[in-house]
Amino acid sequence: MIANPRKATSPLIILFIGILAVSAASLLIRFAQREAPSLVIAAFRMTIAALLVAPFCMKTFINEIKAASGSTRFLLGLSGLFLAFHFASWITSLEYTSVASSVVLVTTAPLWVALLSPIFLNEKITRWILFGLAISLLGSIVVGISSACSIQTGKWACENMSELFHGRALLGNALALAGAFLSAGYLMVGRKVRDKVSLSTYIFAVYSTSAMVLLLLVCINGEKLTGYSPQTYLWLLGLALIPQIIGHSAFNWALKYLSAAYVSIALLGEPIGTVILTMIFLRESPSALELVGGGLILLGILVATRSQRTKQVVG
């Protein structure tokens, strides 16, 4: 729901910028994974992000936290926990299961947001949100299985599909699904608490909490934080700057004006941006299935946007 009709266009633009920013995540993670373990990448992403925003957020954060209620503080911490374990579970899932399986499962997050928002946020899910969700989820599934399937001579041809949910991949699939639940929790808690605190207080509280949790997990897992090449640290810095500070902060800002369900659907546009970036930087052309899936995702987002425009007119 849009809180102020005069700000109706702005949240959609900021959300679009956020989608472009987070689209760089997969590319930067791919580069960083040449040396660094997944959990270390997640920890560096959040730690660097928290340190970079600290000088700009600390004064406001201290003042607002002092005045905040216990429930608000709890929600800020909870959001940070959800984000930390989302990254930990989703990125780790890629070590156990295929990218296709992980993408299909982790992109079910909007489904859980749509199902749980009426209960926890008292937000009515309109038919346009549901239509857009269905179309976008279908597109995400198509993009997800594109690595295992292709269109050959007008027919579907899928290889190794039986391996997507078999044997060792079972743990990876469970982690990816857990990542979807945690992402849904992160978005819903953010929607609930963003009316109570400023953006600077919210992102610093969430990013710093997430960073501390991930660093603890790195220590428990016995991973090292040093000894990587300067180039790897450069990729980690880029991951913190672009997808996290620009991308996630844009989403968190938009959550004050747009429903959690709509924001979660818009996030499904990330694979489209990722495909475009891989074309530019890795010279990898999208497959026919990726193009079809991307078109469905865009259509679903446009359908869901109709709901937001309707709320603007009604006001």
Side-chain angles (χ1 to χ4, degrees):
M1 181 181 295
I2 296 176
N4 187 339
R6 293 182 181 178
K7 295 183 178 180
T9 302
S10 183
L12 297 178
I13 295 175
I14 296 298
L15 191 59
F16 176 73
I17 293 172
I19 292 170
L20 291 179
V22 297
S23 297
S26 297
L27 197 63
L28 292 168
I29 289 172
R30 183 186 297 189
F31 291 148
Q33 279 180 327
R34 293 171 181 173
E35 284 190 342
S38 299
L39 200 56
V40 170
I41 293 172
F44 265 108
R45 172 178 180 165
M46 297 311 306
T47 302
I48 295 174
L51 291 174
L52 289 176
V53 302
F56 307 97
C57 302
M58 188 60 71
K59 183 177 180 180
T60 303
F61 171 78
I62 293 174
N63 292 334
E64 291 192 4
I65 283 296
K66 287 180 178 178
S69 65
S71 61
T72 297
R73 296 176 186 177
F74 170 77
L75 289 174
L76 289 170
L78 183 61
S79 184
L81 284 174
F82 275 137
L83 184 60
F85 284 105
H86 161 69
F87 282 135
S89 59
W90 170 59
I91 295 178
T92 304
S93 75
L94 295 172
E95 298 179 7
Y96 295 94
T97 189
S98 68
V99 173
S101 179
S102 179
V103 169
V104 168
L105 290 169
V106 82
T107 53
T108 60
L111 175 61
W112 311 121
V113 173
L115 291 174
L116 297 174
S117 286
I119 300 173
F120 293 104
L121 298 177
N122 198 29
E123 289 184 349
K124 182 180 179 181
I125 304 302
T126 69
R127 65 179 184 278
W128 294 112
I129 286 286
L130 291 175
F131 290 160
L133 172 62
I135 297 170
S136 291
L137 280 176
L138 176 60
S140 294
I141 292 173
V142 172
V143 172
I145 66 174
S146 62
S147 62
C149 300
S150 61
I151 299 177
Q152 300 176 0
T153 62
K155 296 182 178 180
W156 288 84
C158 296
E159 300 178 357
N160 302 322
M161 283 296 289
S162 61
E163 297 179 3
L164 291 182
F165 300 93
H166 178 70
R168 186 172 185 269
L170 184 61
L171 174 59
N173 294 330
L175 288 170
L177 186 58
F181 281 117
L182 292 161
S183 177
Y186 166 60
L187 288 170
M188 288 190 294
V189 173
R191 172 65 173 163
K192 191 174 185 65
V193 77
R194 273 291 288 116
D195 284 332
K196 303 181 185 337
V197 297
S198 65
L199 176 65
S200 59
T201 292
Y202 180 75
I203 64 173
F204 180 69
V206 172
Y207 295 178
S208 58
T209 300
S210 179
M212 289 187 288
V213 172
L214 287 167
L215 287 172
L216 179 61
L217 291 176
V218 167
C219 292
I220 293 174
N221 206 42
E223 304 285 2
K224 63 176 184 175
L225 295 171
T226 59
Y228 304 111
S229 68
Q231 190 174 40
T232 295
Y233 288 112
L234 183 62
W235 300 134
L236 295 172
L237 175 62
L239 191 61
L241 279 172
I242 303 173
Q244 193 60 45
I245 292 180
I246 297 177
H248 274 255
S249 297
F251 300 149
N252 291 324
W253 183 87
L255 278 171
K256 185 172 182 178
Y257 306 102
L258 301 169
S259 71
Y262 177 74
V263 172
S264 67
I265 292 173
L267 285 174
L268 293 178
E270 178 182 346
I272 301 174
T274 301
V275 168
I276 294 173
L277 290 175
T278 54
M279 288 176 60
I280 297 173
F281 294 103
L282 298 181
R283 300 182 183 276
E284 295 180 2
S285 299
S287 65
L289 281 177
E290 286 176 325
L291 292 174
V292 171
L296 287 171
I297 291 172
L298 285 176
L299 177 60
I301 293 173
L302 289 174
V303 170
T305 301
R306 182 178 178 86
S307 170
Q308 303 301 308
R309 288 174 178 168
T310 300
K311 290 175 182 177
Q312 175 192 351
V313 174
V314 175

